[in-house]
Amino acid sequence: MAAEPTAQESRSRDLDKLLLRPGNLVGPNFEPGPALRDDLKEYGRVLVVGAGGLGCELLKDLALSGFRKLEVIDMDRIEVSNLNRQFLFRLEDVGKPKAEVAAKRVMERVSGVNIVPHFCRIEDKELEFYSKFSIIALGLDSIEARSYINSVACSFLEYDSDDSALEETSKPMVDGGTEGFQGHARVIVPGVTPCFECTIWLFPPQVKFPLCTLAETPRTAAHCIEYAHLIKWDEVHSGKAFDPDDPEHMKWVYNEATKRAELFGIPGVTYSLTQGVVKNIIPAIASTNAIISAACVLETLKIASGCSKTLSNYLTYNGAEGLHTEVTEFVKDKDCLVCGPGVLIQLDTSITLEKFIDLLKEHPKLLLSKASITHRGKSLYMQAPPVLEEMTRSNLSIPLFDLIGKIPKDVVHAIGTTTKNDKKTSCLRKLRVVFKGVDGIADMDTAGET
């Protein structure tokens, strides 16, 4: 009589069918065997960005798919409204950081996995932090956050002298998103597939209400909420910035919106709706999160092991009426400012770092303000935190040419803010700086460049 399989053998049974056997759809470097499964545990480092409804599913699925070294980053705390779909959280967890609780719960349930939580903004981490991961999995509900992580991942991509991407420097991402009964999963391999910025047009513009409607003729609960958020707040709190992540600020907006709704006889203002309108929260359903997470984790496993060809390159799911999935292959934008070789900027060797930062504000392709500059992992100037700004301030008066070791041409990274659709967002840009008159480098034909 055959021996009963152990719990570990039972858990890895289906995974072994993918990793221990050859197949017809495998990647070119796929070598089946127990060593591959062990390498996945030892060397497969995955960062999960977001610990909400989709992020919880991603952490659980990755842990159950053989990944043992995971990290998760999220800036939010658990709220009561999260509990209906973010299954790792309990009532006693309300007010605690999502990343910390999610990591703790998965490690309690899946033996052998180690998950390091980071309770902070994604912008708070330096490039060096993101460089250590082999794959980044996104479980976000924000276009701005996706765009920032996309620019970070693309910043590691290097190009040869012919402007051909070096695939060995590419940092793959798997991006998932859900909205009600709809969702998507996509594979982003910078330099090979289109990056997030290449297909930014896929996301419809956010709904904006005319201020005259909000102030004079509100007709919906959302109008009342936006009136309290955009107009009443500034009237009462002159000069004080509204913080959507501050519960007291959100409660104030809810109370004012309720008064406004009662005045005009408009029903439907609730605290959860106030959060949804102000923070542009996308409605989520647990089953949709589970389906999209499964697709994302399968693609992560394919990338890490080569056990099958990856998705090419955008899957959409619609479960509103029946069940429909479709895969679309989008094309990379050869002129993309994020995943391309970088914005070419010509400089004199005498240009100081401070002058260089000023030039980025005026560059027509960048319009980058409050920029922090790094070169090969070294911080040349940091706008924040104050201690780093003070440490790097002396570099502002030094020529950039000297700061990068008098190299005739090289790549530097700039992290700053730019304005999109009347909204300031954080972004990272790759800049190819070329110094004129050094080692035979003459003025180049760079129409539209500085």
Side-chain angles (χ1 to χ4, degrees):
M1 183 176 180
E4 289 292 324
T6 65
Q8 184 61 39
E9 290 173 340
S10 180
R11 182 192 299 166
S12 63
R13 179 189 60 195
D14 294 328
L15 184 63
D16 288 347
K17 291 179 180 179
L18 293 174
L19 301 183
L20 305 186
R21 304 189 302 186
N24 295 323
L25 298 177
V26 300
N29 300 319
F30 179 66
E31 296 182 4
L36 177 59
R37 183 180 59 197
D38 296 339
D39 286 347
L40 195 66
K41 297 177 182 178
E42 182 67 24
Y43 303 110
R45 303 190 66 173
V46 180
L47 173 66
V48 176
V49 185
L54 184 55
C56 285
E57 291 281 355
L58 287 170
L59 279 176
K60 177 259 295 180
D61 288 348
L62 286 166
L64 292 173
S65 298
F67 293 94
R68 290 292 177 264
K69 294 183 177 181
L70 304 173
E71 298 192 28
V72 57
I73 182 169
D74 195 298
M75 63 176 286
D76 290 336
R77 294 181 181 272
I78 298 165
E79 299 176 0
V80 173
S81 60
N82 301 147
L83 302 182
N84 71 321
R85 62 193 181 280
Q86 298 176 20
F87 68 97
L88 294 177
F89 307 143
R90 302 290 178 266
L91 188 59
E92 61 267 24
D93 298 324
V94 171
K96 298 177 182 177
K98 288 184 177 182
E100 295 177 5
V101 176
K104 176 175 175 285
R105 288 279 153 74
V106 173
M107 287 192 289
E108 287 174 349
R109 299 185 182 193
V110 183
S111 60
V113 66
N114 181 53
I115 305 176
V116 179
H118 301 275
F119 174 48
C120 62
R121 299 166 68 247
I122 53 177
E123 295 91 347
D124 292 342
K125 296 293 186 181
E126 296 186 1
L127 284 177
E128 185 179 356
F129 167 78
Y130 295 100
S131 68
K132 64 185 179 181
F133 299 102
S134 48
I135 303 171
I136 299 176
L138 307 183
L140 296 164
D141 60 2
S142 162
I143 294 176
E144 291 79 13
R146 279 192 181 95
S147 183
Y148 181 80
I149 291 294
N150 176 74
S151 64
V152 168
C154 291
S155 71
F156 299 111
L157 181 65
E158 296 178 10
Y159 284 78
D160 61 20
S161 57
D162 296 324
D163 282 349
S164 297
L166 301 175
E167 290 190 29
E168 63 271 18
T169 65
S170 183
K171 188 171 296 295
M173 290 181 291
V174 178
D175 171 48
T178 66
E179 182 175 356
F181 289 101
Q182 300 176 333
H184 78 264
R186 67 187 298 183
V187 173
I188 298 175
V189 183
V192 179
T193 70
C195 75
F196 180 78
E197 206 70 24
C198 290
T199 54
I200 192 72
W201 50 269
L202 286 171
F203 293 85
Q206 296 181 8
V207 176
K208 293 185 178 180
F209 303 114
L211 288 179
C212 59
T213 298
L214 302 181
E216 300 172 8
T217 55
R219 296 184 297 275
T220 67
H223 288 165
C224 298
I225 293 168
E226 285 289 56
Y227 170 82
H229 170 218
L230 299 176
I231 298 176
K232 194 69 176 178
W233 176 271
D234 286 338
E235 290 180 356
V236 176
H237 305 88
S238 179
K240 184 178 181 180
F242 176 80
D243 183 0
D245 296 310
D246 188 324
E248 293 300 321
H249 290 197
M250 190 65 71
K251 187 176 180 181
W252 187 92
V253 169
Y254 165 64
N255 291 334
E256 290 298 319
T258 301
K259 295 176 186 177
R260 181 79 168 171
E262 291 174 351
L263 181 63
F264 285 87
I266 298 172
V269 174
T270 64
Y271 186 76
S272 60
L273 179 63
T274 302
Q275 290 178 303
V277 172
V278 173
K279 300 177 70 173
N280 193 35
I281 295 175
I282 299 171
I285 295 174
S287 59
T288 308
N289 286 335
I291 291 169
I292 295 302
S293 172
C296 289
V297 172
L298 180 59
E299 295 307 316
T300 304
L301 181 64
K302 290 178 185 178
I303 294 170
S305 67
C307 66
S308 181
K309 294 180 180 178
T310 58
L311 179 72
S312 185
N313 45 45
Y314 194 103
L315 177 143
T316 53
Y317 161 80
N318 191 337
E321 297 181 6
L323 179 64
H324 177 73
T325 60
E326 183 178 0
V327 176
T328 305
E329 184 173 5
F330 289 105
V331 179
K332 181 178 178 292
D333 180 1
K334 61 182 178 63
D335 297 320
C336 179
L337 293 178
V338 179
C339 67
V343 178
L344 178 63
I345 300 179
Q346 283 196 91
L347 299 170
D348 292 321
T349 56
S350 61
I351 292 290
T352 63
L353 180 59
E354 184 173 22
K355 178 61 176 175
F356 176 67
I357 293 173
D358 290 339
L359 289 173
L360 301 184
K361 299 178 186 177
E362 305 164 4
H363 195 288
K365 289 186 178 180
L366 298 171
L367 301 176
L368 200 62
S369 60
K370 296 183 178 179
S372 297
I373 308 296
T374 61
H375 174 249
R376 299 189 180 184
K378 179 183 177 183
S379 298
L380 301 184
Y381 178 70
M382 301 298 292
Q383 297 276 354
V387 63
L388 282 182
E389 194 282 330
E390 184 177 355
M391 289 173 59
T392 56
R393 189 184 304 158
S394 59
N395 287 340
L396 290 173
S397 60
I398 302 175
L400 179 61
F401 183 62
D402 294 342
L403 289 172
I404 68 172
K406 298 186 177 181
I407 301 173
K409 53 183 178 179
D410 208 348
V411 173
V412 299
H413 293 98
I415 302 175
T417 58
T418 189
T419 302
K420 286 185 178 181
N421 300 321
D422 299 325
K423 186 176 182 180
K424 289 187 176 181
T425 59
S426 298
C427 66
L428 185 152
R429 292 291 181 261
K430 185 191 306 178
L431 311 173
R432 293 188 296 165
V433 293
V434 176
F435 293 97
K436 294 179 286 186
V438 180
D439 289 349
I441 295 179
D443 288 353
M444 304 170 70
D445 183 12
T446 52
E449 307 292 351
T450 299

